[in-house]
Amino acid sequence: MNSLEELKRATVFPMGEENRMFEKYFIGKSYLNMLTMEGIGIGNVTFEPVCRNNWHIHHKGGQVLLCTAGRGYYQEWGKEPQELHPGDVVNISPEVKHWHGAAPDSWFAHLAVEVPAEGASNEWLEPVSEEEYGKLK
């Protein structure tokens, strides 16, 4: 998915505005459209090519990613990256250090579902290094 126009045709959820609220935790531009915050937080997150978020940990609640368009990656600390495509589902357990984002040559979109839990929080950590990211296919 090389162009933004292709991505917009491929996904049913609007991409929203540039993600200024969390931009300090991303390399590259991302876009966020919060679909709901009632009972459970679900956001449509769109990544331009090369964009990825920092390593982070969801404490107590975890997260589910529902991939909707383009090609991206998910990686847990100490494991190999997983290539992601539309229709893929990633279940992220609480306390797992990870990152996710677009492939170097593709836009990528996923729904980020925050698993509710009492006292749930998100801890943002260091950026994914250029060396780590450069090893992707």
Side-chain angles (χ1 to χ4, degrees):
M1 187 132 319
N2 296 334
S3 76
L4 179 56
E5 294 311 311
E6 287 177 300
L7 178 113
K8 286 180 177 180
R9 284 192 303 270
T11 187
V12 298
F13 299 103
M15 68 186 256
E17 301 297 317
E18 194 171 327
N19 188 3
R20 299 230 183 259
M21 186 183 322
F22 295 100
E23 70 184 339
K24 66 183 175 181
Y25 305 118
F26 285 73
I27 293 173
K29 283 188 184 177
S30 68
Y31 301 83
L32 178 62
N33 179 13
M34 288 307 298
L35 302 175
T36 184
M37 289 298 295
E38 287 188 35
I40 188 168
I42 303 175
N44 181 37
V45 185
T46 303
F47 302 80
E48 70 178 1
V50 182
C51 179
R52 70 265 189 194
N53 53 31
N54 289 5
W55 290 98
H56 57 286
I57 299 170
H58 299 278
H59 296 293
K60 299 190 179 179
Q63 187 179 46
V64 178
L65 305 179
L66 305 171
C67 303
T68 59
R71 187 168 67 91
Y73 285 91
Y74 166 78
Q75 184 177 14
E76 292 183 4
W77 187 257
K79 295 186 179 179
E80 290 297 313
Q82 298 173 22
E83 190 170 321
L84 301 175
H85 300 95
D88 288 343
V89 176
V90 179
N91 289 289
I92 305 167
S93 298
E95 314 310 325
V96 173
K97 184 176 178 178
H98 67 282
W99 70 269
H100 34 103
D105 60 350
S106 179
W107 284 80
F108 178 61
H110 65 53
L111 300 183
V113 181
E114 300 298 322
V115 178
E118 189 171 329
S121 65
N122 191 32
E123 180 182 0
W124 289 101
L125 303 166
E126 72 275 12
V128 176
S129 72
E130 293 296 327
E131 181 181 338
E132 289 172 299
Y133 188 79
K135 292 178 184 175
L136 299 174
K137 297 177 191 173

